Amino acid sequence: MAEKNLEEKEIAVKNNFIHQQIQNDLLEGKNGKRVHTRFPPEPNGYLHIGHAKSICLNFGIAEKFGGKCNLRFDDTNPSKEETEYVDSIMEDVRWLGFDWDERLYYASDYFEQLYEFAVKLIKTGKAYIDDQDSETISAQKGTPTRPGTESPFRNRSEEENLDLFERMKAGEFDEGSRVLRAKIDMASPNMHMRDPNIYRIMKTPHHRTGDKWLIYPMYDFAHGQSDFWEGITHSICTLEFEVHRPLYDWFVDQLLENEYRPRQIEFARLNLTYTVMSKRKLLKLVRDNHVNGWDDPRMPTITGLRRRGYTPESIRNFADRIGVTKVDGMIDVSLLEYSVREHLNKVAQRVMGVLNPLKVVITNYPEGLEEEMDAINNPEDESMGKRKVSFSKVLYIERDDFMEDPPRKFFRLAPGREVRLRYAYFITCNAVIKNDIGEITELRCTYDPASKGGNSPDGRKVKGTLHWVSVKHAVKSEVRLYDRLFNNEDPLAKEEVDFKEFMNKDSLKILPECYVEPFVKGAAPLTHFQFERLGYFNVDLDSSDSKPVFNRTVPLRDTWAKFKNK
Ligand code: ATP
Ligand code: MG
């Protein structure tokens, strides 16, 4: 046991280079040996599984190193942000099992401080107002190999800059007519250091500050400063911000008063096969009704995965498993499915449900008799105990479990063949009833009363064990089967093709008439079940007593078995 723990620990450090770096910072005694991270979503959409990786990383670091993690909304762009998103983000972080306690912040909390900081930069000759439009400014930026050109407004006097900035704030100028820029280095090999914009005019009301502000700080200007003011020690972000790091450090240098200093560390974002992850693209799917909202169970959003039946544990295990690296890559979605299967296997109540019903009449079973069969609730967890399942003369089995003329390797029910009904009896098929157009409508079978419980009375063997429900007792339910939202591993790979072209038209299949054993009656939304032999299902949010609805979370088939012993 001790050995196993050691091994697990090694894996945990090995596949997470950020843990190693933090460990080193602690050994060096940096920042008074404090560890403080933050998760900084922009409230412009619902969170997706990629954000879950970042949440697990940031809050996980706080847990691992006895530190803290803040939740901070990066709400510097009022045109795209809404309180609906703020609320959903808080719900999702909590659902994943993390808590920011009283440390809930908004970049907008710092608007006043940021404004003052900008004024300070102007006064120290490190910022200026540029009257040029954005096209001109970007044309002057140069290229990575050719230095930029200085703006004709770069050397304005401090008084003029202060006056213009004040008037920008007062709303005297039109949007886009002026910006405040940091005065750094137009010849820097890093384009982000070529006098980046730090304030822009935007006359859009903000979800928190209303119409108080008519100028807003740029993300780069707000982010590091927010980190600084919150005492963040490790500011973890995705790789595309690596080139912003010198700018992050430059701003921190202007703020520095003591030894404390936040440090930006970048890691590779999560990409998953068969889906897209940018909020902008997900918003498009929602707006254009390609899916039924942000919480459509086919969406890679946390709210979608929750509705689909994923558990917080399975998502956290997935995040641990994939680790944290500096190398961009694509993770196979079946690894995520493996993680959910692994967890649900341990916790899900087993029941029997028939998705595609075929009626079976047991001709020698007494009319009107009902028996209660003992069934195991979860073979992985004895403490979950047993339940009774009602058996009677007329049953449903899965249509796929019968073949009139079976090939050699088909071991389920066929004319003249005997199989076991799980927990019940051995039955033999004697007759196949068809309708006018030759479709099978019913099977006539006999049972062996001596095989009660599904046990062989005399050592004779049957090859197949089928699930079933009693027609009289079963709960008629709707079942929704989900498949991948896209039929291409990387829907964004071909720039010239719109990613929506790759949408899988069969990603949702609704089965209106399924039958499930009565145990599921009254189960609350999001309750997990394993339908034996079929997969994991959960009660949908739309489900009601009069119309139960189940989502298939994931089928039983396990394509990632090789991970099991890792
Ligand atoms: P998107 O591109 O999906 O809109 P974003 O990076 O703009 O995402 P933010 O709200 O700014 O979204 O992100 C909040 C945090 O989550 C950031 O620290 C960001 O780096 C991280 N994050 C976003 N997407 C991923 C991802 N796919 N994998 C890991 N972390 C991510
Ligand atoms: Mg963003």
Side-chain angles (χ1 to χ4, degrees):
M1 189 64 201
E3 219 167 72
K4 186 164 175 278
N5 276 341
L6 196 70
E7 225 172 72
E8 274 173 10
K9 248 189 196 156
E10 268 174 22
I11 290 171
V13 174
K14 245 190 241 158
N15 75 2
N16 192 324
F17 77 97
I18 297 182
H19 287 173
Q20 289 170 341
Q21 296 196 353
I22 293 178
Q23 189 81 60
N24 293 344
D25 286 350
L26 288 174
L27 287 173
E28 287 173 25
K30 280 192 188 155
N31 294 324
K33 296 199 175 185
R34 280 189 314 112
V35 172
H36 201 154
T37 55
R38 84 288 170 266
F39 172 64
E42 186 183 349
N44 61 349
Y46 280 64
L47 298 182
H48 51 62
I49 180 80
H51 294 111
K53 174 176 176 175
S54 176
I55 294 168
C56 293
L57 178 59
N58 280 295
F59 282 92
I61 284 169
E63 275 174 12
K64 188 179 169 79
F65 294 96
K68 291 175 181 161
C69 181
N70 296 356
L71 175 63
R72 184 201 312 141
F73 288 101
D74 242 313
D75 55 352
T76 50
N77 183 355
S79 68
K80 291 192 285 181
E81 294 155 3
E82 289 175 25
T83 39
E84 175 196 347
Y85 300 139
V86 168
D87 295 340
S88 77
I89 289 169
M90 291 202 272
E91 186 183 352
D92 289 348
V93 175
R94 279 208 193 93
W95 178 76
L96 279 173
F98 298 108
D99 194 348
W100 53 89
D101 300 318
E102 71 293 346
R103 296 179 309 279
L104 171 64
Y105 299 98
Y106 294 84
S108 54
D109 293 338
Y110 307 113
F111 281 172
E112 197 68 51
Q113 264 165 290
L114 286 165
Y115 177 77
E116 280 160 24
F117 181 47
V119 168
K120 181 180 149 192
L121 290 182
I122 293 174
K123 286 184 175 163
T124 50
K126 287 176 177 158
Y128 61 95
I129 304 288
D130 197 331
D131 299 356
Q132 305 178 105
D133 59 29
S134 60
E135 288 78 36
T136 315
I137 291 177
S138 60
Q140 289 167 353
K141 279 257 157 131
T143 67
T145 50
R146 189 168 47 80
T149 320
E150 294 189 355
S151 160
F153 299 97
R154 197 170 197 260
N155 296 311
R156 285 193 139 130
S157 71
E158 180 191 323
E159 292 68 39
E160 193 180 3
N161 276 318
L162 286 175
D163 173 60
L164 287 170
F165 193 41
E166 185 62 34
R167 287 162 61 195
M168 263 170 73
K169 183 180 176 225
E172 275 187 40
F173 309 121
D174 289 340
E175 284 190 16
S177 65
R178 279 182 173 84
V179 286
L180 179 69
R181 297 175 71 180
K183 192 169 174 178
I184 308 180
D185 180 5
M186 287 306 288
S188 169
N190 183 324
M191 303 277 289
H192 293 279
M193 300 297 273
R194 294 183 187 172
D195 292 8
N197 293 356
I198 57 179
Y199 259 96
R200 57 182 158 175
I201 301 168
M202 270 187 108
K203 300 185 170 173
T204 311
H206 186 276
H207 76 115
R208 292 186 74 236
T209 56
D211 49 17
K212 172 160 185 224
W213 292 92
L214 302 167
I215 53 172
Y216 289 93
M218 302 300 290
Y219 170 86
D220 275 328
F221 188 65
H223 197 85
Q225 285 70 292
S226 309
D227 283 346
F228 186 86
W229 289 320
E230 285 170 27
I232 299 304
T233 57
H234 297 87
S235 179
I236 296 161
C237 58
T238 40
L239 281 182
E240 68 272 22
F241 289 99
E242 194 162 17
V243 285
H244 296 238
R245 192 183 340 135
L247 183 56
Y248 181 100
D249 287 335
W250 190 87
F251 287 131
V252 170
D253 286 339
Q254 315 308 313
L255 281 163
L256 226 52
E257 288 146 17
N258 51 34
E259 281 182 9
Y260 153 68
R261 167 164 209 124
R263 165 182 180 192
Q264 178 179 308
I265 305 177
E266 310 85 16
F267 71 101
R269 63 171 50 234
L270 169 67
N271 298 305
L272 263 193
T273 54
Y274 297 101
T275 193
V276 295
M277 220 115 72
S278 118
K279 277 182 282 190
R280 202 165 43 81
K281 299 211 163 55
L282 296 175
L283 178 63
K284 191 134 191 56
L285 294 180
V286 172
R287 291 248 165 100
D288 298 350
N289 296 315
H290 292 289
V291 292
N292 305 315
W294 286 99
D295 71 347
D296 186 306
R298 292 167 293 177
M299 290 279 272
T301 50
I302 296 178
T303 181
L305 293 172
R306 172 168 60 226
R307 182 162 185 180
R308 170 101 171 232
Y310 278 64
T311 58
E313 290 86 342
S314 61
I315 294 174
R316 293 205 305 263
N317 287 341
F318 169 72
D320 276 350
R321 213 165 243 146
I322 58 178
V324 177
T325 69
K326 278 255 185 209
V327 190
D328 259 324
M330 184 78 109
I331 300 285
D332 197 316
V333 68
S334 50
L335 182 57
L336 177 61
E337 289 164 357
Y338 169 76
S339 293
V340 70
R341 218 179 259 121
E342 179 192 49
H343 183 235
L344 291 178
N345 180 42
K346 289 184 203 143
V347 299
Q349 164 77 43
R350 271 56 167 172
V351 293
M352 290 194 283
V354 172
L355 301 190
N356 189 6
L358 174 60
K359 196 176 191 187
V360 169
V361 178
I362 315 286
T363 49
N364 61 337
Y365 194 82
E367 200 75 50
L369 180 62
E370 288 175 24
E371 286 179 280
E372 304 260 274
M373 303 300 181
D374 276 325
I376 295 168
N377 286 335
N378 185 343
E380 302 289 320
D381 181 356
E382 246 178 55
S383 73
M384 287 175 70
K386 291 186 175 173
R387 68 185 186 286
K388 301 284 185 192
V389 186
S390 300
F391 187 86
S392 65
K393 190 178 176 77
V394 186
L395 313 167
Y396 286 129
I397 64 164
E398 209 69 63
R399 202 164 267 274
D400 289 354
D401 281 337
F402 176 79
M403 277 184 96
E404 197 171 12
D405 188 14
R408 232 162 40 88
K409 291 218 161 140
F410 185 86
F411 298 124
R412 293 165 271 166
L413 197 58
R417 192 179 285 177
E418 186 172 50
V419 295
R420 172 190 293 110
L421 292 182
R422 183 130 163 100
Y423 302 126
Y425 288 108
F426 283 15
I427 61 163
T428 304
C429 176
N430 305 305
V432 180
I433 314 288
K434 295 183 182 173
N435 63 13
D436 298 347
I437 52 168
E439 291 166 340
I440 301 172
T441 53
E442 187 181 312
L443 303 178
R444 298 273 161 88
C445 298
T446 48
Y447 82 118
D448 178 353
S451 62
K452 186 161 181 186
N455 302 311
S456 178
D458 52 10
R460 78 177 187 271
K461 293 212 162 61
V462 288
K463 283 210 171 130
T465 298
L466 311 187
H467 60 274
W468 53 274
V469 292
S470 158
V471 170
K472 182 172 170 197
H473 302 90
V475 179
K476 185 176 165 199
S477 307
E478 176 177 305
V479 171
R480 299 176 184 168
L481 304 178
Y482 303 100
D483 199 350
R484 292 172 175 165
L485 195 49
F486 294 90
N487 48 31
N488 188 292
E489 260 195 14
D490 183 1
L492 303 179
K494 288 201 180 128
E495 253 175 60
E496 69 281 9
V497 185
D498 180 4
F499 72 102
K500 294 194 290 315
E501 299 282 308
F502 293 115
M503 290 198 79
N504 174 8
K505 290 181 185 61
D506 302 317
S507 59
L508 170 62
K509 200 165 158 191
I510 295 182
L511 307 177
E513 205 183 323
C514 303
Y515 293 91
V516 190
E517 68 171 84
F519 187 89
V520 300
K521 262 188 208 159
L526 304 187
T527 305
H528 305 288
F529 292 104
Q530 184 196 91
F531 288 6
E532 294 214 24
R533 299 176 66 224
L534 297 177
Y536 295 98
F537 292 74
N538 82 337
V539 182
D540 187 69
L541 298 177
D542 285 346
S543 191
S544 65
D545 287 349
S546 57
K547 189 190 165 197
V549 179
F550 294 92
N551 296 312
R552 184 172 69 189
T553 310
V554 66
L556 274 189
R557 197 168 48 89
D558 181 353
T559 50
W560 280 84
K562 58 185 169 181
F563 276 86
K564 227 173 212 156
N565 300 318
K566 275 211 168 169

